[in-house]
Amino acid sequence: MGRLTSTINAVQASAQKSLVAYIVAGDPHPDQTVDLMHALVAEGVDIIELGVPFTDPEAEGPVIQLAHERALVHQVTLTTVLAMVSAFRLEDAKTPVVLMGYLNPIEAMGYDVFAEQASLSGVDGLITVNLPPEEAGPLAIALQDKKIDPIYLLAPTTTDARAAAVCRASRGFVYYVSLKGTTGSGGLDIDAVCERVAHLKAQTTLPLFVGFGIKDGATAAPIAAVADGVVVGSAIVTLMGENQASPEALKLEVSELVRDIRTALNASNA
Amino acid sequence: MVSKQLGTNETLTSFPDQSGHFGPYGGRFVSETLMAALDELTLAYDGLKTDPEFLAELGSDLEHYVGRASPLYLAQRLTDHAGGAKIWLKREDLNHTGAHKINNCIGQALLARHMGKPRIIAETGAGQHGVASATVAARFGLKCTVYMGSEDIQRQSLNVYRMKLLGAEVVPVTSGSRTLKDALNEAMRDWVTNVDDTHYIIGTVAGPHPYPMIVRDLQSVIGREARAQFARQHGGLPDAVMACVGGGSNAMGIFYPFLEDESVRLIGVEAAGDGIMTGRHAAPLTDGIVGVLHGNRTYLMQDRAGLISETHSVSAGLDYPGVGPEHAWLKDIERAEYVAVTDEEALGAFRQLNLLEGILPALESSHALAHAVEFAATLRKDQNIIVNLSGRGDKDIPTMAKIDGISIG
Ligand SMILES: Cc1ncc(COP(=O)(O)O)c(C=O)c1O
């Protein structure tokens, strides 16, 4: 069993819900990323989702687009991101790290080389935003050889037939994109999400995580009540944009936001 | 020769396969939210493409609204100047709105109406596809939003105003390199958000399946007409067919009906910008690497880390780091050839066609013209080249005037 599954199982065993935090590697500056990852874990984040910067992040809203641009200013490539995970692993052998990105940098590195390097760095899972399972065959094989979990997305528009196929292809967890839109969109319809999540959960034994539009304790708690975990992204990344001048202030604000969400999750699950 | 590389039951015109691939290229690399919309579009198009009523409506609008068939014109003075093969121009510049883009837009607007989508969106570089989209939106009573890089808004201000006159909303895109590729990203983001009531009219033979197929099919009217016109006006087949390649829609449109005529050389002309050696160009088939962008696998301009490079061309419509997947495949199987022409050579051809034929070509099309003149000189006088004159150059007059240091209006 991989680090991702054993972590999720342990959270479930303690009757809690998993909290996943998303940041873009290298944002606002590459020197801060590993430190921020540790800070997230210290505040109760169970799994880190590390965005791999790309020039054309077509599924992202403005907040995360700018994060990609900030990281790219510092020439953060997939190779740099893997080095960051290695550095993180020097002090944290326990917290799963999932990379989230677009296919082209992985293609450029080569599937086998990527799987090998990612595995050596201590990467546990991979979400490739623009790679539906239909196109993922060769990459899935390379990942499987190196015990990296491919995580696919479900959307509000996904039919039941597709959902079954997506869940079959996924390992670790399945990621439900809670709204039609880009990352950071507002106006989450919590009741509709909960209904949909309950419907999807009946169709798979894999843990189901929900992301997009979860920005604080008030949005996280009701969704975590029906899902196995929640992903918080744009709310954290917004703080990166606002606190570029002060790494100290940034760390404090990120820690505070994550602590609030963790507290809300624990309270509603008590 | 080429046919040896095809499997049993495959022909040059039987692609894409069921899953939207042209050999290793094409496919569907999009976020999950769009998969259902692409399935819906595929199903709708499969039903309509042989539907007599749809075809009659399309045909009628192409004739009476667009003004087809566009002429095939023997450019005698250009031919004399080149001193070799006869150069024939397929006059897409004479279409309503001034370029080939409208052929695709009429068809996709009918598709949108059939699917019950009251709103269309489009990306645009030169503004020609934006204008064509805004035009069909007005014609069919659809709402229209056009995404355009803020850089291109500067270079193509005439078309921006024109889209507004047509009632479209033009949204400047300030992310990334602020050109066509970023406009495409932004259009995808809009589509993901408004997928229930919106149809995305991609302006070229790129994007996820079924777009490369739909746009090719709709643009193939260019090649079908040209093939028949040439047979009638001259007899037989031309020796070569040539077109500029941005995303590749005008080229695919004129190539496709000639694919199985193996004696006809198909030549696509990319933008070499400042020159291939400088790296400042927009020629992924000439100097690119295979990768995945905007929903399909194809040749791309990218660095070793897989990041997409900024491109350069004097013509906004060719300033794109990717190219339609069918071109990538035609290049690999050697059914089509691809070359690149610099800004300077294209500007020369632009001036030349004005002076020799009284025709104002688009800067995009001028790339194909520049190569045609050079290539014609290597052929015999009894040979023939058809060049797709994909658009007219009215939109480029401000750019040219600026280059010439002339201030207009
Ligand atoms: C006149 C003209 N020709 C060619 C192009 C390039 O597109 P494509 O390669 O899809 O034909 C454009 C794009 O804007 C155009 O306006």
Side-chain angles (χ1 to χ4, degrees):
Chain A
M1 192 192 304
R3 188 158 30 205
L4 194 51
T5 299
S6 59
T7 299
I8 296 170
N9 287 350
V11 173
Q12 278 173 341
S14 65
Q16 287 301 336
K17 297 302 167 91
S18 295
L19 174 57
V20 183
Y22 169 93
I23 60 175
V24 175
D27 172 41
H29 191 281
D31 291 347
Q32 289 165 257
T33 301
V34 174
D35 196 32
L36 283 165
M37 290 167 78
H38 290 308
L40 293 168
V41 175
E43 298 300 342
V45 163
D46 302 297
I47 297 164
I48 292 188
E49 197 179 306
L50 200 55
V52 180
F54 186 49
T55 37
D56 295 80
E58 67 199 20
E60 317 297 344
V63 167
I64 294 181
Q65 282 174 48
L66 287 174
H68 282 253
E69 289 184 13
R70 287 193 293 270
L72 288 174
V73 167
H74 301 290
Q75 274 89 41
V76 176
T77 63
L78 181 53
T79 306
T80 327
V81 177
L82 294 178
M84 289 173 179
V85 178
S86 297
F88 174 76
R89 283 274 170 256
L90 294 176
E91 283 176 47
D92 187 330
K94 205 172 121 264
T95 308
V97 175
V98 172
L99 298 187
M100 179 165 189
Y102 294 79
L103 184 59
N104 202 53
I106 297 172
E107 289 237 343
M109 186 176 276
Y111 292 166
D112 289 331
V113 176
F114 167 75
E116 163 116 40
Q117 297 296 318
S119 164
L120 287 173
S121 309
V123 168
D124 303 289
L126 176 70
I127 303 170
T128 317
V129 183
N130 60 344
L131 184 67
E134 286 90 333
E135 300 281 0
L139 178 58
I141 291 167
L143 294 178
Q144 190 173 15
D145 282 350
K146 296 293 169 191
K147 302 199 165 41
I148 293 173
D149 294 325
I151 295 150
Y152 296 99
L153 306 170
L154 295 167
T157 51
T158 306
T159 58
D160 281 355
R162 272 193 64 79
V166 168
C167 292
R168 261 199 312 278
S170 293
R171 299 286 176 274
F173 65 90
V174 205
Y175 187 137
Y176 179 59
V177 174
S178 60
L179 46 79
K180 292 172 203 155
T182 52
T183 48
S185 306
L188 196 61
D189 179 345
I190 291 177
D191 290 343
V193 174
C194 291
E195 195 178 308
R196 185 77 188 143
V197 167
H199 176 77
L200 288 167
K201 271 194 68 72
Q203 298 181 48
T204 178
T205 53
L206 274 182
L208 188 76
F209 287 21
V210 177
F212 282 44
I214 297 171
K215 56 182 199 298
D216 50 21
T219 39
I223 285 170
V226 291
D228 299 295
V230 293
V231 184
V232 183
S234 294
I236 300 174
V237 175
T238 299
L239 300 175
M240 306 277 189
E242 288 170 0
N243 295 280
Q244 292 176 57
S246 168
E248 290 311 309
L250 173 60
K251 203 159 122 182
L252 281 176
E253 293 214 21
V254 168
S255 298
E256 195 182 313
L257 172 69
V258 170
R259 194 180 317 131
D260 286 352
I261 296 174
R262 179 82 260 173
T263 308
L265 287 183
N266 292 358
S268 71
N269 242 21
Chain B
M1 237 174 55
V2 165
S3 40
K4 277 196 209 126
Q5 306 189 32
L6 299 171
T8 40
N9 300 328
E10 285 178 354
T11 66
L12 283 165
T13 49
S14 68
F15 288 82
D17 62 19
Q18 272 298 316
S19 58
H21 295 90
F22 302 88
Y25 302 108
R28 229 181 228 185
F29 296 86
V30 295
S31 56
E32 177 61 27
T33 310
L34 293 178
M35 291 301 281
L38 294 171
D39 280 338
E40 181 193 4
L41 181 59
T42 306
L43 210 66
Y45 181 67
D46 274 351
L48 282 185
K49 73 180 175 200
T50 50
D51 178 61
E53 209 173 304
F54 171 76
L55 292 175
E57 206 173 351
L58 177 62
S60 168
D61 258 27
L62 288 178
E63 181 181 349
H64 303 294
Y65 189 68
V66 176
R68 304 203 69 91
S70 69
L72 181 70
Y73 165 71
L74 174 59
Q76 191 58 56
R77 294 193 68 217
L78 187 70
T79 298
D80 294 345
H81 169 82
K86 289 192 187 65
I87 301 175
W88 302 72
L89 305 179
K90 180 60 176 162
R91 299 290 308 273
E92 292 300 299
D93 60 313
L94 294 177
N95 292 342
H96 178 42
T97 71
H100 67 293
K101 299 286 181 186
I102 191 92
N103 303 328
N104 170 42
C105 289
I106 293 274
Q108 289 209 46
L110 289 171
L111 258 168
R113 205 183 57 184
H114 177 82
M115 291 186 293
K117 311 247 171 170
R119 176 172 179 264
I120 58 166
I121 56 172
E123 84 293 336
T124 197
Q128 287 304 102
H129 176 57
V131 165
S133 298
T135 297
V136 299
R139 160 81 183 81
F140 292 101
L142 304 167
K143 274 176 68 179
C144 178
T145 301
V146 178
Y147 291 92
M148 190 166 186
S150 55
E151 183 91 2
D152 291 334
I153 285 189
Q154 298 269 325
R155 312 194 250 194
Q156 308 283 343
S157 55
L158 220 57
N159 273 342
V160 175
Y161 181 56
R162 196 168 163 198
M163 287 184 266
K164 290 180 181 163
L165 287 174
L166 289 159
E169 176 195 18
V170 181
V171 179
V173 177
T174 55
S175 56
S177 62
R178 300 157 192 235
T179 58
L180 181 54
K181 85 175 170 74
D182 309 282
L184 222 146
N185 291 334
E186 210 51 40
M188 299 272 258
R189 292 177 187 126
D190 180 315
W191 200 31
V192 156
T193 309
N194 301 298
V195 61
D196 292 334
D197 74 343
T198 298
H199 174 61
Y200 178 17
I201 305 189
I202 295 187
T204 190
V205 286
H209 177 66
Y211 282 104
M213 172 181 75
I214 293 179
V215 179
R216 175 202 68 197
D217 289 354
L218 291 170
Q219 290 293 3
S220 292
V221 65
I222 305 172
R224 279 197 307 275
E225 283 176 8
R227 198 171 180 282
Q229 287 165 325
F230 187 80
R232 200 163 55 239
Q233 291 169 228
H234 180 277
L237 288 165
D239 298 278
V241 172
M242 216 169 275
C244 67
V245 178
S249 68
N250 87 88
M252 248 358 278
I254 198 164
F255 288 179
Y256 191 66
F258 290 99
L259 279 184
E260 307 208 340
D261 302 320
E262 290 206 18
S263 69
V264 180
R265 285 175 71 176
L266 305 175
I267 304 172
V269 185
E270 298 191 295
D274 288 345
I276 295 294
M277 301 306 286
T278 68
R280 281 175 48 78
H281 61 82
L285 289 167
T286 307
D287 184 34
I289 303 169
V290 173
V292 170
L293 180 72
H294 295 152
N296 68 99
R297 179 175 282 116
T298 187
Y299 283 90
L300 298 173
M301 293 191 45
Q302 55 175 313
D303 67 14
R304 286 179 46 205
L307 300 172
I308 307 306
S309 312
E310 296 208 359
T311 52
H312 171 80
S313 169
V314 68
S315 94
L318 302 185
D319 213 351
Y320 179 65
V323 62
E326 193 162 8
H327 286 295
W329 178 67
L330 291 176
K331 173 189 155 81
D332 281 12
I333 65 168
E334 297 180 3
R335 176 60 191 100
E337 311 153 52
Y338 296 88
V339 298
V341 153
T342 63
D343 285 356
E344 200 177 314
E345 293 167 308
L347 293 173
F350 176 98
R351 294 181 201 281
Q352 205 168 46
L353 200 70
N354 273 283
L355 294 174
L356 292 177
E357 297 287 350
I359 295 174
L360 171 70
L363 281 174
E364 289 78 13
S365 325
S366 300
H367 286 72
L369 287 167
H371 186 66
V373 168
E374 198 177 293
F375 184 68
T378 70
L379 300 186
R380 295 187 317 268
K381 292 195 171 178
D382 64 344
Q383 292 185 294
N384 296 277
I385 304 172
I386 298 180
V387 181
N388 196 1
L389 192 65
S390 56
R392 67 171 89 115
D394 303 52
K395 69 183 174 57
D396 298 312
I397 288 175
T399 302
M400 288 306 291
K402 200 165 154 198
I403 289 169
D404 287 341
I406 290 167
S407 133
I408 46 170

